[in-house]
Amino acid sequence: MIAALRSLLLVLALPALLQAAPALATPGKLLEATPMEAAPAGARAWRIRYETTDVDGDPTPSTGVLVAPDGASPVQGRNVVAWAHGTVGIEPACTPIRSLDQIPDLADMLARGWVVVATDYPGLGTRGPHAYLAGDAAAAAVLDSVRAAVGFAPAGAGRRFVAWGHSQGGHAALFTAQRARSYAPELQLLGVAAVSPPTDLAQNMQHADTTVRGLLTAFTARSWAKVYGADLATIANRTTQGVIDRATAGCEGDPFSAAGLVRLLRLRARLGNLDLGGRAPWDALMARNSITALGKGMAPLLLVQSDADGLVATPVTRRFFNRSCESGATVRYLGLPDTGHANTAIASADAVLAWLAERFAGQAAVDDCAAPAGNGVTVAAQPVPQV
């Protein structure tokens, strides 16, 4: 009798239990695809919204753009390039891909028959907070953008892809290389091009100019306070927290407006000499979101670094290169002598595309780890358009 009563109560309670249960994540599920105007000739473009995961592995939406050539796709599907953008801000309004012109050499990639997908990252274009320089979340956003492309029949995307990113996007591309096999084993990552990537976050901040360090510290601190629950009071008093909030509230070029420059100077005075790597809990978070090396068996890597980069320090990138070599990775190192941080992706685009084409063609990747002293190659930069 008691057992029967328990069974009856369970049946009656089941609908409520099911309603209370959280929805299961479906990483890479395409939620929406809206046609975009001004697609390149011979191509179609869509704004997409898809499901991915946050720093805790919980479901969260992300937006992005998807561009594909017109016409029938090969039986195996088109090759895919996942573009990961650099820093544009941390506010939800800072949707980075407002124009297709922001994706380097897009027309060339489409002419080669490739599909291009570019994530905005969660919290940019969707409800925040944005997990700035949070490796796991960024890699998930890149990998799930490829899954979303594969699941959208009009794009004709296959499962073979490469990742290409600049600055914050270079950081995302490296974490993509590290996580691809475990997070998205059904996809085939053929290569990763990381341009000016922050690797050891603490070391990069220490090498940066004090003004730049102040801004990066502000972006990182405000984002991680929301994403990880780190207490801003451990590094900033109430006045400094107000400066951080105001200085990181804008998008794109705002920090360099007249008012933005004043805020930068205030950040420099208050945060320019702060070492997050020496303060708990920030030190553990810096270590969690740094990447020391890629290893044997991971996709080949093209590492691009400018010696004139004032934000991502060449010695830090070279250390990452050397450690990756010691770990058995296959790495091509491309050095540019005189481009600034902002221009490195455009200046190296032709060389990067040629390298990506070799990966899709199945050619063996050149390994500069085997070269004398692992010096890589230094090339003259392409002309950078004036804007």
Side-chain angles (χ1 to χ4, degrees):
M1 182 72 175
I2 294 176
L5 182 59
R6 285 176 179 169
S7 299
L8 177 61
L9 290 174
L10 180 60
V11 169
L12 293 174
L14 187 59
L17 291 172
L18 290 175
Q19 187 174 7
L24 296 177
T26 310
K29 179 182 178 181
L30 184 66
L31 303 174
E32 188 177 1
T34 305
M36 295 178 65
E37 297 180 357
R44 291 179 292 169
W46 301 266
R47 285 288 311 172
I48 62 171
R49 188 167 63 91
Y50 63 96
E51 192 166 272
T52 185
T53 53
D54 62 15
V55 294
D56 297 316
D58 295 327
T60 189
S62 182
T63 55
V65 299
L66 175 61
V67 194
D70 282 331
S73 62
V75 174
Q76 71 276 17
R78 296 186 174 101
N79 295 319
V80 179
V81 177
W83 165 253
H85 65 81
T87 300
V88 294
I90 59 174
E91 291 285 340
C94 299
T95 308
I97 310 298
R98 292 184 173 87
S99 160
L100 295 179
D101 294 338
Q102 295 172 269
I103 303 175
D105 275 16
L106 176 61
D108 192 346
M109 290 189 281
L110 295 169
R112 295 171 185 260
W114 303 344
V115 169
V116 179
V117 64
T119 180
D120 291 333
Y121 310 136
L124 301 179
T126 55
R127 183 177 179 180
H130 169 52
Y132 181 64
L133 290 177
D136 288 345
V142 172
L143 290 163
D144 287 328
S145 73
V146 178
R147 283 172 161 163
V150 172
F152 185 54
R159 298 182 185 274
R160 290 164 28 109
F161 81 105
V162 294
W164 176 19
H166 172 234
S167 192
Q168 179 186 357
H171 177 267
L174 293 176
F175 272 89
T176 296
Q178 192 175 68
R179 292 200 69 196
R181 188 171 297 173
S182 60
Y183 186 84
E186 80 281 9
L187 301 178
Q188 186 178 0
L189 178 59
L190 301 180
V192 170
V195 183
S196 309
T199 50
D200 185 321
L201 299 185
Q203 285 295 313
N204 265 312
M205 286 188 181
Q206 289 177 11
H207 277 78
D209 170 86
T210 53
T211 302
V212 173
R213 186 191 305 179
L215 183 61
L216 290 178
T217 300
F219 275 137
T220 304
R222 185 169 175 232
S223 172
W224 291 2
K226 295 180 178 180
V227 171
Y228 296 112
D231 188 358
L232 275 176
T234 60
I235 59 171
N237 60 28
R238 184 169 296 180
T239 300
T240 301
Q241 290 180 42
V243 174
I244 290 172
D245 287 344
R246 290 189 295 273
T248 58
C251 305
E252 293 186 340
D254 181 69
F256 303 101
S257 65
L261 288 173
V262 172
R263 291 194 291 269
L264 281 177
L265 292 175
R266 289 176 180 168
L267 283 177
R268 176 177 178 170
R270 294 179 176 274
L271 299 177
N273 294 312
L274 178 65
D275 178 13
L276 287 181
R279 302 281 188 95
W282 309 94
D283 51 355
L285 293 174
M286 295 283 270
R288 171 177 174 172
N289 292 300
S290 293
I291 185 164
T292 57
L294 293 188
K296 186 175 182 180
M298 295 185 186
L301 170 65
L302 173 62
L303 196 57
V304 182
Q305 175 69 36
S306 170
D307 290 338
D309 194 321
L311 196 154
V312 174
T314 297
V316 180
T317 303
R318 291 290 303 188
R319 191 177 302 120
F320 173 82
F321 168 71
N322 291 331
R323 287 176 177 171
S324 295
C325 289
E326 292 167 0
S327 298
T330 299
V331 189
R332 180 69 165 163
Y333 186 98
L334 178 64
L336 301 180
D338 55 8
T339 60
H341 180 82
N343 293 327
T344 306
I346 297 174
S348 61
D350 285 353
V352 170
L353 257 61
W355 187 86
L356 297 179
E358 291 174 354
R359 305 288 72 74
F360 285 136
Q363 298 181 25
V366 173
D367 188 3
D368 286 325
C369 296
N375 286 326
V377 59
T378 299
V379 300
Q382 316 166 193
V384 178
Q386 297 299 310
V387 293

